[in-house]
Amino acid sequence: MRVNGEAFFLINGWMNYLSLLTASRMAHIRLLPGKALVSSALGAAYGMIAGIGKPFFRSFPMLLFSAFCMSAFSFGGVSIKNTLLVLASGWFLSGLSDFALTKHINSAFTIILCSVVVLIICVGLSGQTVGKDGFRLVIALESGQAELPVLLDNGNLLHESATGLPVIVIPEKMLKTIMPAGVNIHDLSTLPEGWRLIGIRTAAGRKTLMCFHPQKLLLCHDGKKIRIHAAVAISDFDENRALLPGSLCNER
């Protein structure tokens, strides 16, 4: 019984990981392996509880809640779209494995089959994992370096008034690992030395964002890395890509 329980946990965890990987490719989001493994393990623990617990744990609301938690933890943000993609990917792989078992394919080959199908999906979408337009942005500060997927935004005409440089808008959650300690974009008194404030107009009205000049900005596309010059503004909007002005790509 112990061996069966461990096998169930490992199989369930691997299928959860495949679901997250599929969802990440479909949403064009970079999946961090460490977070994905932890999330998959927690999902597998939930699966074991659901298997031996009351029917309530196997209900659709609990399944949706599980997908929501896995999505939020793995992708670093709350998103209905990502939650539904994780849920749909899980259902797809579950249906595929059930179909394989009805054809009397044993569990080991069923897992291999699901893994191969996900690999084919990932290869098919490999050109889109870095963003719809295939660009990535490398940004470096004294505190570290990050590589981010990019969304080309031709509607982003924002320029810094002091230098005239175009402004790339990046979600705060994507820069947390390299932002200077103590910076809180909602508290302007934490503005680091050398940074500045920039005003933008949105559908909800005017906002003031923290803005800085990175030590290095590289635009990566088709294996090439091109140095670009721009300012970076930090926002709290719910997006998993940096909003890059189209002019920066047109001039590359």
Side-chain angles (χ1 to χ4, degrees):
M1 180 66 69
R2 180 183 176 188
V3 173
N4 290 338
E6 291 175 348
F8 178 81
F9 178 84
L10 291 174
I11 293 172
N12 200 359
W14 178 243
M15 296 298 282
N16 287 337
Y17 185 85
L18 292 178
S19 298
L20 289 171
L21 183 59
T22 304
S24 71
R25 292 304 172 108
M26 295 178 67
H28 318 311
I29 301 172
R30 186 180 182 184
L31 183 65
L32 298 177
K35 283 191 173 183
L37 287 174
V38 173
S39 182
S40 299
L42 293 175
Y46 159 75
M48 295 189 71
I49 295 173
I52 61 177
K54 296 181 179 180
F56 167 74
F57 290 103
R58 297 187 291 275
S59 65
F60 176 75
M62 286 300 297
L63 191 62
L64 184 62
F65 179 72
S66 174
F68 169 79
C69 292
M70 290 175 62
S71 169
F73 183 80
S74 300
F75 302 143
V78 176
S79 170
I80 296 177
K81 173 187 172 183
N82 294 343
T83 298
L84 294 178
L85 284 175
V86 171
L87 186 63
S89 299
W91 277 344
F92 168 73
L93 291 174
S94 177
L96 181 61
S97 60
D98 288 344
F99 174 78
L101 292 174
T102 60
K103 299 299 181 181
H104 306 292
I105 300 175
N106 64 37
S107 299
F109 281 104
T110 297
I111 295 172
I112 294 173
L113 173 64
C114 291
S115 301
V116 170
V117 169
V118 171
L119 178 61
I120 293 173
I121 292 174
C122 291
V123 171
L125 297 176
S126 60
Q128 301 183 39
T129 57
V130 296
K132 181 177 179 181
D133 302 285
F135 291 93
R136 292 194 74 84
L137 182 71
V138 175
I139 177 171
L141 292 172
E142 290 183 359
S143 48
Q145 178 172 299
E147 186 173 340
L148 314 174
V150 164
L151 174 64
L152 297 185
D153 184 8
N154 290 319
N156 180 359
L157 305 178
L158 189 62
H159 282 73
E160 189 183 30
S161 58
T163 62
L165 289 173
V167 178
I168 302 170
V169 182
I170 301 179
E172 176 193 20
K173 62 185 179 183
M174 300 187 72
L175 293 177
K176 281 187 175 180
T177 57
I178 64 171
M179 281 177 60
V183 175
N184 180 356
I185 67 169
H186 302 289
D187 184 357
L188 299 183
S189 66
T190 64
L191 187 73
E193 184 178 355
W195 289 33
R196 62 202 71 192
L197 300 176
I198 186 172
I200 66 170
R201 187 185 300 275
T202 68
R206 292 193 63 84
K207 294 184 65 174
T208 299
L209 305 180
M210 291 184 177
C211 181
F212 64 93
H213 291 167
Q215 290 185 325
K216 180 175 65 174
L217 273 175
L218 296 177
L219 186 60
C220 308
H221 184 59
D222 289 339
K224 299 178 181 179
K225 293 184 178 181
I226 302 170
R227 187 141 192 174
I228 58 176
H229 300 281
V232 171
I234 307 176
S235 176
D236 58 357
F237 67 94
D238 186 20
E239 178 58 65
N240 292 297
R241 289 169 287 183
L243 298 184
L244 189 80
S247 59
L248 287 172
C249 295
N250 295 334
E251 298 171 3
R252 63 188 177 89

